[in-house]
């Protein structure tokens, strides 16, 4: 199979934008992605598109993909809508990589969008809830914060993880998000702030939960046959892995890990021919603070049960040995469901191309993105590698 490369990526700001539509936000992301391609790209170059969205609020449930690609000038380009809850556009990126590797396309757009702030809180909770197990969890009153609270409680009981360690996730990600002009909650918070916030679902409080967001993100994936036309500094998609699991948390044997993430990571590492220690930075799915801690363990960044101590040690800060969520993560940057996975790829592209501004890491070579749907019903992991004279 041919190698696939990431040549550009861009996003809209994340937040609440009553004067924007899902089409206008997608246009902002698409134009930013095109502008980021070092040697330029024409819309006529795009062979295919994959667009992720849940369709919060019920807007354009049928054919939302063509609705946005037509709006940005990709008339006639085959477009497929991808839905895997919060992992929708992460899987859209995977589909783009598959299309390129298979030889069916040379230039593929992968993106996503969501509008989440123009409905009532009750309606938004409904649309969030449809990605959980409906028959037994949602209809009995369980919310996503409630599900992740159960995971947090289980991890605390099993390994001694503390509320303070959960709060360290929020402090770190807000510090990073304050350096990101696209972040929805682009402000710093103190450990005291993060510990004293109102309880949402014990043991999770407000600072342990990501916001609901409007936004869009796009990535451009090309084949090895054409990559030299677009960039002199290629970023290879070194590894891709995906996994699925039961949609309902209650159906699983353990609440202290996400098997879909573990399967996805194993497959991505195997394809990339690396171990977890070879990763220079990661964007992980921190919809709740406990989700980031579980990701550390599921992705092999630390031993099982050590995630709380790992974040508390400072290892995952910008200046740490393994920076995690340099963008601010879902917690600070925001979580427009359909755009989140592609938005993680935007940060990977910025870091590897040296365009991440005040949060830029020192010469990273390899980055990982980790996108989860629901409470772990689906997960996808990508490993991106900057090619150098040594590893080219």
């Amino acid at each position: 199979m041919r190698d696939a490369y990431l040549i550009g990526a861009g996003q809209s700001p994340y937040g609440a934008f009553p004067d924007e539509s899902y089409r206008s936000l997608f246009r902002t992301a698409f134009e930013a992605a095109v502008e980021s391609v070092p040697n330029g790209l024409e819309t006529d170059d795009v062979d295919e598109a994959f667009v992720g969205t849940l369709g919060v609020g019920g807007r354009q449930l049928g054919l939302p993909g063509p609705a946005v690609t037509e709006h940005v000038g990709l008339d006639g380009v085959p477009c497929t809508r991808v839905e895997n809850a919060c992992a929708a556009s992460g899987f859209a990126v995977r589909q783009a990589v598959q299309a390129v590797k298979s030889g069916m396309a040379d230039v593929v757009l992968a993106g996503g969008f969501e509008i989440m702030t123009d409905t009532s809180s009750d309606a938004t909770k409904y649309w969030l809830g449809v990605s959980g197990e409906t028959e037994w969890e949602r209809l009995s009153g369980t919310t996503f914060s409630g599900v992740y609270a159960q995971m947090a409680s289980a991890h605390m009981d099993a390994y001694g993880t503390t509320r303070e360690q959960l709060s360290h996730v929020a402090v770190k990600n807000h510090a990073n998000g304050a350096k990101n002009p696209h972040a929805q909650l682009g402000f710093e918070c103190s450990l005291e702030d993060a510990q004293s916030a109102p309880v949402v679902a014990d043991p999770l409080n407000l600072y342990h939960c990501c916001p609901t967001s409007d936004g869009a993100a796009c990535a451009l994936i090309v084949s090895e046959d054409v990559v030299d036309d677009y960039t002199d500094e290629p970023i290879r998609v070194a590894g891709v892995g995906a996994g699925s699991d039961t949609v309902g948390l209650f159906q699983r044997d353990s609440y202290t890990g996400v098997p879909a993430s573990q399967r996805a990571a194993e497959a991505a590492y195997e394809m990339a021919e690396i171990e977890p220690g070879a990763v220079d930075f990661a964007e992980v799915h921190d919809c709740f603070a406990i989700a980031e801690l579980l990701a550390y363990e599921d992705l092999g960044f630390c031993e099982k049960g050590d995630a709380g101590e790992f974040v508390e040690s400072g290892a995952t800060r910008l200046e740490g040995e393994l920076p995690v969520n340099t963008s601010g993560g879902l917690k600070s940057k925001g979580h427009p469901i359909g755009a989140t996975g592609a938005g993680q790829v935007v940060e990977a592209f910025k870091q590897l191309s040296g365009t991440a501004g005040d949060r830029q890491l020192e010469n990273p070579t390899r980055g990982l993105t980790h996108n989860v749907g629901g409470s772990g019903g689906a997960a996808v992991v990508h490993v991106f590698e900057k090619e150098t004279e040594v590893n080219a």
Side-chain angles (χ1 to χ4, degrees):
M1 289 189 294
R2 302 186 300 177
D3 272 335
Y5 291 83
L6 173 66
I7 60 164
Q11 66 168 88
S12 73
Y14 288 177
F17 306 106
D19 296 329
E20 300 281 356
S21 70
Y22 69 97
R23 285 186 171 104
S24 66
L25 288 171
F26 192 85
R27 175 181 287 280
T28 298
F30 176 73
E31 291 178 348
V34 171
E35 289 172 6
S36 73
V37 179
N39 297 344
L41 177 140
E42 301 294 330
T43 54
D44 289 346
D45 296 348
V46 179
D47 299 316
E48 191 156 354
F50 296 92
V51 176
T53 182
L54 180 63
V56 171
R59 63 180 53 74
Q60 198 56 51
L61 283 178
L63 300 176
V68 293
T69 53
E70 177 275 333
H71 183 68
V72 300
L74 299 180
D75 301 14
V77 173
C79 182
T80 303
R81 182 260 188 97
V82 179
E83 189 283 300
N84 242 354
C86 318
S89 60
F91 274 85
V93 174
R94 178 175 181 262
Q95 293 295 104
V97 172
Q98 288 180 325
V100 165
K101 281 183 168 291
S102 72
M104 291 188 68
D106 280 317
V107 180
V108 183
L109 169 68
F113 68 85
E114 214 73 68
I115 298 285
M116 302 180 68
T117 67
D118 66 345
T119 59
S120 69
S121 59
D122 287 343
T124 301
K125 289 175 184 176
Y126 167 81
W127 282 101
L128 287 168
V130 299
S131 298
E133 203 288 325
T134 303
E135 187 175 6
W136 296 103
E137 287 184 345
R138 288 299 170 268
L139 293 184
S140 65
T142 304
T143 62
F144 264 127
S145 56
V147 168
Y148 275 92
Q150 293 176 61
M151 298 165 84
S153 294
H155 203 274
M156 294 166 78
D157 290 344
Y159 303 112
T161 307
T162 67
R163 286 177 171 83
E164 181 173 328
Q165 289 167 340
L166 292 172
S167 295
H168 275 287
V169 174
V171 172
K172 171 184 69 68
N173 291 350
H174 272 281
N176 295 346
K179 297 178 173 65
N180 186 348
H182 290 103
Q184 179 174 2
L185 304 179
F187 54 85
E188 296 188 21
C189 72
S190 67
L191 185 60
E192 181 181 357
D193 292 334
Q195 288 185 277
S196 61
V199 172
V200 174
D202 191 53
L204 302 178
N205 68 34
L206 187 63
Y207 269 94
H208 300 152
C209 308
C210 73
T212 54
S213 317
D214 305 335
C218 289
L220 291 159
I221 307 294
V222 306
S223 74
E224 63 183 33
D225 296 337
V226 301
V227 64
D228 290 342
D229 296 339
Y230 299 104
T231 181
D232 300 321
E233 298 181 342
I235 298 171
R236 187 168 68 97
V237 186
V240 182
S244 295
D245 197 17
T246 62
V247 176
L249 182 65
F250 75 95
Q251 297 168 288
R252 299 178 201 162
D253 294 332
S254 173
Y255 289 7
T256 62
V258 179
S261 294
Q262 297 161 14
R263 297 176 188 126
E266 182 179 354
Y269 292 143
E270 181 178 355
M271 181 182 290
E273 299 181 336
I274 63 168
E275 297 295 327
V279 173
D280 296 320
F281 68 92
E283 287 288 300
V284 308
H285 198 91
D286 61 319
C287 49
F288 299 92
I290 185 59
E292 178 163 329
L293 297 187
L294 297 181
Y296 296 166
E297 298 173 7
D298 292 335
L299 298 172
F301 297 156
C302 68
E303 295 297 320
K304 187 71 175 176
D306 289 348
E309 294 179 0
F310 192 57
V311 70
E312 195 170 25
S313 74
T316 57
R317 296 174 186 166
L318 281 181
E319 67 278 10
E321 63 188 67
L322 177 61
V324 174
N325 286 334
T326 58
S327 69
L330 283 63
K331 175 64 196 77
S332 176
K333 182 184 179 184
H335 183 27
I337 289 178
T340 292
Q344 294 176 324
V345 175
V346 172
E347 182 67 10
F349 176 78
K350 288 183 176 181
Q351 289 291 347
L352 292 173
S353 61
T355 59
D358 291 342
R359 63 190 187 282
Q360 179 64 51
L361 302 174
E362 185 176 353
N363 196 31
T365 298
R366 194 175 288 112
L368 176 148
T369 63
H370 159 257
N371 192 199
V372 176
S375 59
V380 60
V381 170
H382 292 89
V383 177
F384 299 95
E385 183 177 83
K386 181 170 61 177
E387 291 203 338
T388 64
E389 291 182 2
V390 174
N391 60 23

